[in-house]
């Protein structure tokens, strides 16, 4: 039967067997979501998480399973309320939309929607309106940023690994789902990240298809790949962050349109996080 859902090269049973051999001290577990998506996970020490993620991310081409960090075990993921109303047929329709959409155009639509909402909020204050125009226009924003960098800034994971971690409790899980790339994780696990809760800003609603569009664009443009997905928290590992001010301004405006809770000042983000190797986003 034809399907838009990704069919991994490595069968679930085989991946489970390989993970069992690789992690004998922390045997993997597996569960199936209500829509029929298999999730296989292994508990990993926080200080080893990035290295282990890098290793398994490097094998994605051979396995077809995308690894991502979570506080939730596969059983927790399968039971989570973010699956409500998403059965196999609904997931197939959602994935069809994602596979067929123009992700660049959808990204632009999300940014324009965010800009319009911001302009409505400031009302008739022309100075504030001019400020929002500068924030959302890369050509206006770029001259306000610093010069091109010779190399990326070192990024540090805030939640997925290392010492800068606000989650001192609970184990870390490296969960695997069948996906063409990290951009499909919020699709096969609908609402797993903040925007997937269908956050509403006035008439704005962001959906898993919006998540997928922006994440796919960022992966193609700057090598930004989904590392952690957990409720209101999202982290991306960025292989080729934009170093030129015009490219950094483009990324900053898109991040502002997607997550204004994090990118409240695109100038600060454009000179800092955007040009680093880790993008940490969160929604209030």
């Amino acid at each position: 039967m034809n399907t838009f859902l990704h069919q991994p090269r490595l069968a679930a049973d085989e991946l489970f067997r390989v993970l069992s051999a690789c992690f004998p001290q922390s045997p993997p577990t597996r569960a199936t979501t209500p829509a029929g998506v298999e999730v296989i996970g292994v508990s990993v020490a926080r200080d080893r998480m990035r290295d282990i993620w890098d290793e398994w991310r490097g094998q994605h081409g051979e396995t077809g399973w995308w690894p991502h960090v979570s506080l939730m075990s596969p059983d927790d993921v399968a039971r989570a309320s973010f699956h409500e109303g998403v059965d196999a047929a609904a997931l197939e329709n959602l994935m069809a939309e994602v596979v067929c959409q123009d992700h660049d155009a959808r990204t632009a639509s999300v940014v324009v929607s965010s800009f319009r909402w911001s302009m409505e909020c400031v009302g008739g204050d022309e100075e504030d309106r001019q400020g929002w125009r500068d924030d959302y226009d890369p050509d206006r924003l770029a001259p306000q940023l610093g010069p091109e960098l010779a190399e990326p800034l070192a990024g540090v994971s805030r939640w997925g690994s290392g010492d800068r971690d606000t989650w001192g409790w609970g184990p870390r899980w490296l969960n695997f789902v069948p996906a063409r790339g990290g951009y499909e994780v919020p699709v096969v696990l609908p609402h797993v990240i903040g925007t997937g809760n269908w956050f509403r800003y006035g008439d704005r609603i962001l959906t898993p298809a919006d998540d997928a569009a922006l994440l796919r664009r960022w992966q193609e443009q700057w090598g930004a790949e989904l590392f952690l997905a957990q409720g209101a928290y999202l982290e991306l590992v960025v292989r080729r962050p934009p170093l030129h001010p015009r490219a950094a301004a483009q990324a900053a405006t898109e991040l502002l349109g997607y997550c204004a809770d994090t990118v409240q000042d695109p100038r600060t983000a454009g000179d800092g996080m955007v040009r680093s190797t880790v993008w940490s986003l969160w929604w209030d």
Side-chain angles (χ1 to χ4, degrees):
M1 181 180 70
N2 293 331
T3 177
F4 285 96
L5 298 172
H6 178 61
Q7 304 302 306
R9 294 187 176 185
L10 200 64
D13 289 346
E14 182 63 15
L15 176 63
F16 189 85
R17 186 193 67 77
V18 171
L19 290 173
S20 298
C22 292
F23 298 93
Q25 304 304 318
S26 180
T29 65
R30 61 197 296 184
T32 304
T33 72
V37 175
E38 183 110 35
V39 183
I40 301 174
V42 61
S43 180
V44 176
R46 184 175 60 191
D47 59 356
R48 297 185 59 213
M49 183 61 77
R50 175 58 192 274
D51 290 339
I52 293 174
W53 180 86
D54 279 332
E55 177 184 354
W56 287 95
R57 162 61 188 95
Q59 298 185 45
H60 173 259
E62 288 71 48
T63 69
W65 294 79
W66 190 271
H68 67 281
V69 183
S70 175
L71 289 181
M72 304 173 70
S73 70
D75 285 335
D76 293 334
V77 171
R79 290 194 300 263
S81 61
F82 53 63
H83 295 294
E84 290 180 0
V86 182
D87 58 13
L91 179 59
E92 179 67 31
N93 290 336
L94 177 58
M95 187 60 76
E97 177 185 0
V98 167
V99 170
C100 297
Q101 72 183 351
D102 182 330
H103 49 279
D104 289 332
R106 188 151 192 161
T107 294
S109 177
V110 169
V111 175
V112 169
S113 176
S114 178
F115 169 70
R116 288 176 175 170
W117 179 82
S118 299
M119 294 292 280
E120 290 173 2
C121 288
V122 300
D125 190 319
E126 184 55 34
E127 183 176 351
D128 285 344
R129 294 170 71 87
Q130 185 62 45
W132 283 114
R133 293 189 188 98
D134 291 345
D135 288 348
Y136 280 96
D137 186 338
D139 290 326
R140 294 178 183 227
L141 179 61
Q144 303 177 51
L145 301 183
E148 182 175 6
L149 299 182
E151 59 184 26
L153 301 174
V156 178
S157 171
R158 297 192 61 172
W159 308 293
S161 60
D163 295 330
R164 293 182 60 196
D165 178 23
T166 57
W167 293 328
W169 45 270
R172 295 296 186 282
W173 288 86
L174 189 66
N175 288 338
F176 296 77
V177 293
R180 297 173 182 85
Y183 55 88
E184 287 189 352
V185 172
V187 182
V188 295
L189 303 180
H191 322 307
V192 71
I193 58 177
T195 62
N197 291 326
W198 298 70
F199 281 9
R200 181 186 294 269
Y201 302 97
D203 293 330
R204 285 186 69 218
I205 300 177
L206 296 179
T207 71
D210 294 320
D211 296 323
L214 283 113
L215 293 178
R216 183 175 180 184
R217 171 173 166 76
W218 296 340
Q219 180 169 321
E220 292 179 355
Q221 289 290 316
W222 299 298
E225 299 181 325
L226 186 144
F227 170 63
L228 177 145
Q230 178 68 50
Y233 301 90
L234 173 68
E235 281 192 339
L236 308 176
V237 169
V238 190
R239 309 291 185 185
R240 307 180 306 276
L243 304 182
H244 188 276
R246 179 56 178 77
Q250 182 67 47
T253 59
E254 292 176 10
L255 284 161
L256 173 65
Y258 182 58
C259 185
D261 288 337
T262 299
V263 186
Q264 297 179 359
D265 182 353
R267 284 160 291 278
T268 299
D271 279 332
M273 181 187 72
V274 164
R275 303 197 206 194
S276 78
T277 56
V278 175
W279 294 354
S280 296
L281 306 177
W282 65 94
W283 289 263
D284 288 335

